[in-house]
């Protein structure tokens, strides 16, 4: 009697039928592709349902950069919306920062995603909103502080694009690694205001457009694996202007922790969720920018301060901690050369 052939490799620990194709970074389980797709998508569905991220009939913008996170987010949101009948109207929203050889190429990927997933696309640009591209900003300020400009402008650009689309919420592809990095960065910076909300799955509820993070507990490695096995079309080049970004050091630290103990990422997020700010701590009071109307804890929002510096030829004006624009500074600004140009390039060109 012939002996039964032994299966090649280990069997999937979930279905115990098919050969394992990968080891999950989060749980270290060895599972097959089909089981991986199922648990990956189901975990995101459970996060959406348990946190009541959406309501039927809502218009949702998906922040789309063309990278792995946003591409997988667009694909999974589209699939879950259809499969579980969320009843959402989905849109792709992209920001063109004006980075030649990087953003122009990644936007081509987003345009292909628009056709592949059947989702309408809206693109807003720094050039249209602020009168500056990142190429022009970097030429003026150099590579040291350019990420400050890009981060502030991009956040506001997403809100302005969302306003144009008249959506109810904006979803972003921030994953578990990103949120753990942010918790650490805010601790290192001593930024109590951001530390109190950086681990929240919904932010900006007091602003123009709430933001949701369906990938809050999803590991970056698993997003990469999902995109690879599903053969999704995404852009993988890193931004040419951010090789020395401060966040990169926190990212390397997180990766080192993950290699020692995979659950460290979720533990850091849990710590961020459990932080409690003392009632005696004075928190910044949220108001609105006197110039553009955007939400701000200062008289002028950060984007307006940065834009003021650019238009006056003083790009370092808004670098560092936010400073109150008192009456004396406003008086000096009105007297400065280039005020006429500043007024023609206001960042608050859209109503909220």
């Amino acid at each position: 009697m012939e002996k039964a052939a032994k299966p090649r490799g280990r069997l999937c620990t979930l279905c115990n039928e098919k050969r394992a194709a990968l080891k999950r970074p989060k749980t270290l389980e060895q599972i097959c592709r089909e089981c991986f797709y199922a648990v990956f998508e189901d975990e995101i569905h459970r996060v959406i349902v348990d946190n009541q991220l959406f309501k039927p009939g809502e218009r949702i913008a998906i922040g789309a950069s063309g990278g792995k996170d946003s591409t997988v987010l667009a694909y999974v949101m589209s699939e879950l919306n259809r499969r579980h009948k969320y009843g959402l109207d989905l849109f792709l929203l992209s920001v063109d920062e004006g980075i030649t050889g990087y953003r122009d190429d990644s936007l081509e990927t987003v345009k292909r995603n628009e056709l592949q997933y059947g989702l309408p696309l809206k693109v807003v640009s720094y050039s249209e909103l602020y009168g500056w591209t990142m190429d022009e900003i970097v030429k003026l300020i150099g590579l040291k502080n350019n990420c400050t400009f890009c981060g502030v402008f991009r956040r506001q650009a997403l809100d302005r694009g969302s306003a144009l689309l008249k959506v109810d919420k904006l979803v972003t592809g921030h994953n578990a690694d990103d949120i753990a990095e942010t918790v650490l960065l805010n601790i290192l910076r001593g930024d109590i205001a951001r530390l109190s909300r950086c681990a929240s799955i919904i932010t900006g509820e007091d602003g123009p457009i709430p933001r949701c993070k369906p990938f809050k507990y999803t590991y970056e490695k698993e997003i990469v694996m999902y995109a690879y096995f599903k053969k999704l079309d995404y852009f993988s080049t890193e931004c040419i202007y951010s090789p020395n970004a401060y966040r990169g050091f926190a990212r390397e630290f997180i990766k080192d922790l993950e290699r020692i103990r995979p659950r460290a990422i979720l533990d850091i997020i849990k710590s961020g969720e459990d932080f409690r700010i003392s009632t005696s701590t004075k928190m910044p009071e949220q108001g609105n920018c006197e110039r553009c109307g955007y939400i701000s804890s200062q008289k002028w929002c950060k984007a307006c301060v940065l834009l003021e510096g650019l238009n006056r030829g003083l790009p370092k004006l808004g670098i560092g901690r936010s400073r109150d624009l008192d009456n004396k500074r406003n008086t000096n600004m009105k007297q400065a050369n280039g005020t006429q140009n500043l007024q023609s390039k206001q960042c608050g060109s859209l109503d909220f």
Side-chain angles (χ1 to χ4, degrees):
M1 181 181 293
E2 294 183 0
K3 293 183 179 180
K6 293 183 179 180
R8 297 175 60 188
R10 294 191 178 186
L11 290 179
C12 172
T13 57
L14 296 182
C15 69
N16 202 34
E17 294 178 358
K18 297 181 180 179
R19 188 163 60 90
L22 70 149
K23 180 188 287 187
R24 290 194 70 189
K26 182 189 290 187
T27 64
L28 302 182
E29 296 174 306
Q30 297 197 41
I31 59 178
C32 64
R33 291 190 186 187
E34 288 70 20
C35 285
F36 173 59
Y37 299 153
V39 296
F40 183 90
E41 294 166 2
D42 187 60
E43 285 179 4
I44 296 168
H45 170 62
R46 293 265 43 103
V47 168
I48 290 172
V49 172
D50 293 346
N51 292 277
Q52 300 178 342
L53 297 188
F54 312 116
K55 297 177 182 178
E58 285 187 326
R59 293 167 62 90
I60 306 296
I62 301 171
S65 66
K68 62 183 185 312
D69 297 316
S70 64
T71 299
V72 173
L73 178 64
Y75 177 84
V76 171
M77 282 294 298
S78 181
E79 286 292 305
L80 295 180
N81 186 43
R82 174 188 56 78
R83 184 185 308 162
H84 296 288
K85 297 180 173 57
Y86 292 161
L88 306 175
D89 290 327
L90 301 177
F91 302 85
L92 297 177
L93 173 61
S94 293
V95 176
D96 182 1
E97 300 94 341
I99 303 176
T100 305
Y102 169 67
R103 183 56 71 209
D104 47 358
D105 291 338
S106 67
L107 284 175
E108 292 302 315
T109 303
V110 178
K111 291 174 184 176
R112 292 195 298 271
N113 293 157
E114 176 187 15
L115 300 176
Q116 292 161 353
Y117 309 145
L119 302 177
L121 169 65
K122 174 67 179 177
V123 180
V124 294
S125 71
Y126 284 7
S127 178
E128 293 173 351
L129 294 176
Y130 311 116
W132 290 81
T133 65
M134 276 308 298
D135 285 343
E136 293 168 340
I137 293 173
V138 170
K139 187 176 180 180
L140 181 64
I141 195 172
L143 292 173
K144 186 176 181 180
N145 294 302
N146 63 90
C147 288
T148 298
F149 287 84
C150 196
V152 172
F153 286 169
R154 181 177 176 78
R155 179 175 181 81
Q156 196 173 109
L158 283 170
D159 282 335
R160 298 191 183 285
S162 298
L164 288 172
L165 287 171
K166 295 181 171 59
V167 297
D168 299 291
K169 293 185 179 80
L170 169 68
V171 296
T172 61
H174 291 97
N175 56 52
D177 301 56
D178 297 326
I179 296 173
E181 290 163 13
T182 303
V183 171
L184 287 180
L185 283 173
N186 288 328
I187 291 174
L188 294 173
R189 290 169 174 161
D191 195 331
I192 297 176
R194 286 190 175 90
L195 187 58
S196 65
R197 62 178 184 268
C198 67
S200 301
I201 196 166
I202 302 177
T203 57
E205 293 177 286
D206 56 348
I209 307 289
R211 297 186 178 207
C212 305
K213 305 181 186 73
F215 285 174
K216 177 180 176 181
Y217 302 108
T218 306
Y219 279 30
E220 182 180 46
K221 286 182 180 178
E222 297 202 350
I223 292 173
V224 173
M225 289 179 173
Y226 187 89
Y228 174 76
F229 285 128
K230 283 283 187 178
K231 294 181 171 59
L232 300 184
D233 183 5
Y234 68 94
F235 186 78
S236 58
T237 303
E238 294 292 330
C239 177
I240 60 176
Y241 291 145
S242 62
N244 298 312
Y246 186 41
R247 176 176 286 270
F249 297 101
R251 181 175 296 116
E252 288 301 314
F253 180 63
I254 291 290
K255 296 303 181 189
D256 290 340
L257 288 177
E258 184 186 9
R259 279 190 286 271
I260 299 170
R261 186 170 181 270
R263 190 173 171 79
I265 291 175
L266 295 179
D267 290 340
I268 292 173
I269 294 175
K270 184 65 166 59
S271 297
E273 293 171 339
D274 291 343
F275 275 126
R276 295 293 180 269
I277 307 302
S278 171
T279 54
S280 62
T281 302
K282 185 177 181 180
M283 301 291 286
E285 295 183 5
Q286 293 291 351
N288 295 99
C289 174
E290 293 182 354
R291 181 163 169 256
C292 74
Y294 191 72
I295 188 169
S296 174
S297 59
Q298 305 292 331
K299 290 183 179 180
W300 282 23
C301 69
K302 189 73 171 180
C304 282
V305 175
L306 292 173
L307 191 61
E308 164 75 1
L310 289 173
N311 288 324
R312 290 179 57 196
L314 301 171
K316 294 184 180 181
L317 181 67
I319 300 298
R321 291 187 177 275
S322 298
R323 287 165 288 181
D324 191 14
L325 298 179
D326 55 23
N327 293 331
K328 182 178 179 180
R329 171 182 280 185
N330 287 332
T331 301
N332 292 337
M333 285 182 175
K334 289 178 182 179
Q335 294 174 348
N337 292 331
T339 301
Q340 185 175 0
N341 181 42
L342 166 65
Q343 293 173 344
S344 67
K345 296 293 184 182
Q346 292 188 13
C347 68
S349 57
L350 299 174
D351 294 329
F352 288 101

